[in-house]
Amino acid sequence: MMDTFITILVTFFAGLGAGLGTGFAGMSAAAVISPMLIIFLGMDPYMAVGIALSSDVLASAVSAYTYGKNKNIDIKNGLVMMSSVLLFTVVGSYVASLVPQRTMGNMSVFMTFILGIKFLVKPVMTTREQMNSISQKERVIKSLIGGAGIGFICGFVGAGGGMMMLLVLSSILGYDLKTAVGTSVLIMSFTAFTGAASHFVIGGQPNWFVWTLCVVFTLIWARIAAVIANKASAKTLNRVVGVVLVTLGVAVFIFSLVQR
């Protein structure tokens, strides 16, 4: 009975953090859920990542739907970037297999924290008009190049895709923050599905009770966050995204220290 209660408690807070990160900032659920399942439930790391990616699929999809309904998503260029991300993720994974492990292990945690500080100190205040002033050709080229960099780093390090996408979309492609997050979660829903499927095919079936709780809790909080984000002003959203990223970055860093 106590084990069941602890499982529900851990998955609730894991889903809370992952859902808020996904709905507000387009962050991958794996960055929050994986360490919590590993540390507090003693789950196999490979299976924990598979469950985290599964949680990401529906959470990102429902967030993308919410952002799309509010016209805060760029489907055309999002699909261009996604194809580049998926291709170079494979390249990055192959390169990673050739070099010693334990390289750049905490990069995604550090990046989450720094990106949160960035949104608090220097918010993204790009308007829709400024975003649309970039030519379609330039946007496609930047999407392909940015996607290649994101995919390679994600494949090499094993994490950080959502944060990298948010940074590239807002800083390099010049998207306003809502469109950047909306496009990021659209891409993440497909990449997370690919990752989750491969994990379960290779590693076998997950603990379905833990899987269900993580998926449901993450989905609920991602939906809530996405609805709030689309109603918020650009200034408020920058602050919320900054606080969420800094908090999650610190929390995941603490989890990693506990694991050691």
Side-chain angles (χ1 to χ4, degrees):
M1 186 67 181
M2 182 57 70
D3 288 344
T4 300
F5 175 75
I6 291 174
T7 298
I8 294 174
L9 194 65
V10 170
T11 54
F12 173 80
F13 282 106
L16 170 63
L20 293 180
T22 299
F24 279 126
M27 182 178 177
S28 171
V32 179
I33 293 178
S34 299
M36 291 193 69
L37 296 184
I38 295 167
I39 295 166
F40 297 110
L41 298 184
M43 185 170 289
D44 172 71
Y46 193 83
M47 191 55 64
V49 173
I51 291 176
L53 289 171
S54 296
S55 304
D56 219 354
V57 176
L58 286 179
S60 293
V62 76
S63 297
Y65 170 77
T66 304
Y67 279 90
K69 192 167 69 170
N70 288 276
K71 296 181 171 55
N72 291 317
I73 199 167
D74 184 356
I75 296 177
K76 184 185 295 184
N77 290 290
L79 294 177
V80 170
M81 180 177 282
M82 181 179 70
S83 63
S84 185
V85 169
L86 292 175
L87 174 62
F88 279 87
T89 297
V90 176
V91 175
S93 297
Y94 174 72
V95 173
S97 68
L98 303 178
V99 300
Q101 296 298 305
R102 198 85 187 148
T103 305
M104 300 163 68
N106 290 320
M107 179 180 173
S108 62
V109 177
F110 178 73
M111 184 178 171
T112 299
F113 179 80
I114 294 300
L115 198 56
I117 295 294
K118 186 262 183 192
F119 282 114
L120 289 172
V121 176
K122 190 179 180 182
V124 177
M125 299 303 290
T126 308
T127 63
R128 187 63 59 85
E129 290 73 23
Q130 291 172 319
M131 184 188 85
N132 291 332
S133 66
I134 300 174
S135 68
Q136 182 62 29
K137 181 180 178 181
E138 181 182 353
R139 195 173 296 173
V140 169
I141 293 173
K142 287 183 176 180
S143 294
L144 287 171
I145 296 174
I150 294 167
F152 183 83
I153 292 174
C154 191
F156 187 76
V157 180
M163 293 298 91
M164 287 291 293
M165 267 184 271
L166 183 60
L167 180 62
V168 170
L169 290 169
S170 61
S171 300
I172 297 178
L173 271 77
Y175 282 23
D176 67 276
L177 187 53
K178 290 182 182 180
T179 304
V181 175
T183 306
S184 176
V185 291
L186 170 69
I187 298 171
M188 286 303 298
S189 62
F190 288 95
T191 55
F193 177 80
T194 303
S198 63
H199 268 70
F200 294 148
V201 167
I202 296 170
Q205 295 187 10
N207 180 316
W208 290 112
F209 180 59
V210 175
W211 180 89
T212 301
L213 290 174
C214 285
V215 169
V216 171
F217 287 141
T218 306
L219 176 63
I220 291 172
W221 286 107
R223 170 63 175 169
I224 292 172
V227 170
I228 295 173
N230 278 277
K231 292 181 179 179
S233 66
K235 185 176 181 179
T236 300
L237 183 58
N238 271 277
R239 288 176 177 172
V240 172
V241 169
V243 170
V244 168
L245 293 182
V246 169
T247 303
L248 291 178
V250 171
V252 174
F253 176 70
I254 294 173
F255 293 156
S256 66
L257 290 179
V258 172
Q259 188 179 20
R260 292 174 188 172

